[in-house]
């Protein structure tokens, strides 16, 4: 399912980033004591301004005294299954909520999204879900667990062999390209961007909620 989401774009800033790289991983030496790991598994992240949501009462107020419930996504845990032709990536996470009035039992259901992005600017798929916070009588806090997932074509997420060879080839002093960082070569950068995928999770915010998060 292809879709678009206003908060995602080529300049997307990421709050949380973790890679799932074990099987078929590629380790690139980029300096003394420095290495980076490439994998067909996607990175997992929370897009900027979508990791928390604030509910006001009354809804049209933005005063601190009107804050009713605040919820935050945290502890994002990625997993990745590369066994088939498609990669199945999941991201489980915790949601912590806090309310301003602890009287009575209360349930608050919040929508969230999981989106597969390619190259940092193309939405491949998007799913919506919901998570429910159950506040006990007398309690200000509640927590719940949720998860997002997506499929990625393994061939689309795999670097071509010639690009992998250019990155991993051992270079000796005196070689014409010994002093050139292969990751700085335009066609290598383009190939890496084209095969780069992300699984992004965050609250499905209204325009007003997103603006509040971005400008507070």
């Amino acid at each position: 399912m292809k879709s678009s989401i206003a908060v995602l774009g080529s300049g997307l800033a990421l709050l949380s980033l973790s890679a799932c790289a074990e099987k078929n991983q590629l380790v690139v030496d980029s300096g003394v004591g420095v290495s980076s790991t490439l994998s067909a598994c996607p990175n997992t992240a929370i897009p900027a301004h979508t990791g928390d949501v604030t509910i006001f009462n009354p809804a049209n107020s933005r005063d601190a005294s009107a804050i009713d419930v605040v919820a935050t996504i945290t502890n994002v845990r990625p997993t990745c299954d590369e066994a088939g032709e498609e990669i199945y990536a999941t991201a489980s996470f915790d949601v912590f909520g806090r309310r301003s009035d602890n009287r009575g039992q209360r349930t608050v259901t919040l929508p969230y999204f999981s989106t597969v992005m390619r190259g940092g600017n193309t939405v491949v798929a998007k799913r919506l879900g919901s998570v429910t916070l159950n506040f006990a009588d007398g309690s200000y806090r509640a927590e719940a667990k949720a998860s997002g997932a997506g499929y990625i074509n393994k061939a689309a997420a795999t670097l071509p062999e010639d690009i992998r060879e250019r990155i991993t080839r051992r270079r000796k002093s005196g070689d014409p390209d010994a002093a050139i960082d292969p990751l700085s070569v335009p066609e290598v950068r383009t190939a890496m961007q084209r095969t780069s995928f992300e699984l992004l999770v965050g609250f499905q915010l209204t325009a007003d909620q997103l603006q509040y998060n971005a400008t507070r």
Side-chain angles (χ1 to χ4, degrees), residues 152-171:
I152 298 168
N153 182 276
K154 184 184 291 185
T158 302
L159 283 171
E161 285 301 322
D162 62 322
I163 298 296
R164 294 170 67 92
E165 192 279 332
R166 293 181 66 173
I167 295 173
T168 59
R169 182 172 61 83
R170 294 289 183 179
R171 293 165 174 79

Side-chain angles (χ1 to χ4, degrees), residues 45-84:
I46 303 173
H49 312 310
T50 68
D52 59 90
V53 59
T54 303
I55 299 173
F56 290 89
N57 185 20
N60 61 349
S61 175
R62 291 299 177 266
D63 293 336
S65 60
I67 293 177
D68 182 23
V69 175
V70 176
T72 303
I73 292 176
T74 188
N75 300 329
V76 178
R77 301 172 294 276
T79 59
C80 181
D81 182 359
E82 299 180 83

Side-chain angles (χ1 to χ4, degrees), residues 99-176:
R99 61 175 175 168
S100 59
D101 186 346
N102 69 343
R103 292 171 296 180
Q105 294 182 344
R106 182 181 177 188
T107 61
V108 177
T109 299
L110 302 169
Y112 67 89
F113 66 85
S114 57
T115 300
V116 175
M117 295 282 293
R118 183 178 189 179
N121 55 18
T122 302
V123 175
V124 176
K126 179 183 175 183
R127 294 180 178 181
L128 296 179
S130 61
V131 58
T132 299
L133 295 169
N134 294 295
F135 293 93
D137 183 24
S139 177
Y140 287 101
R141 299 181 183 277
E143 61 182 86
K145 297 183 181 297
S147 64
Y151 286 94
I152 298 168
N153 182 276
K154 184 184 291 185
T158 302
L159 283 171
E161 285 301 322
D162 62 322
I163 298 296
R164 294 170 67 92
E165 192 279 332
R166 293 181 66 173
I167 295 173
T168 59
R169 182 172 61 83
R170 294 289 183 179
R171 293 165 174 79
K172 299 179 181 179
S173 178
D175 286 352

Side-chain angles (χ1 to χ4, degrees), residues 14 24 40-42 58 75 94 98-99 126 168 182 187 198 212:
L14 302 180
N24 298 327
C41 287
N75 300 329
D94 298 325
R98 185 180 72 255
R99 61 175 175 168
K126 179 183 175 183
T168 59
E187 54 264 38
E198 296 166 306
Y212 173 78

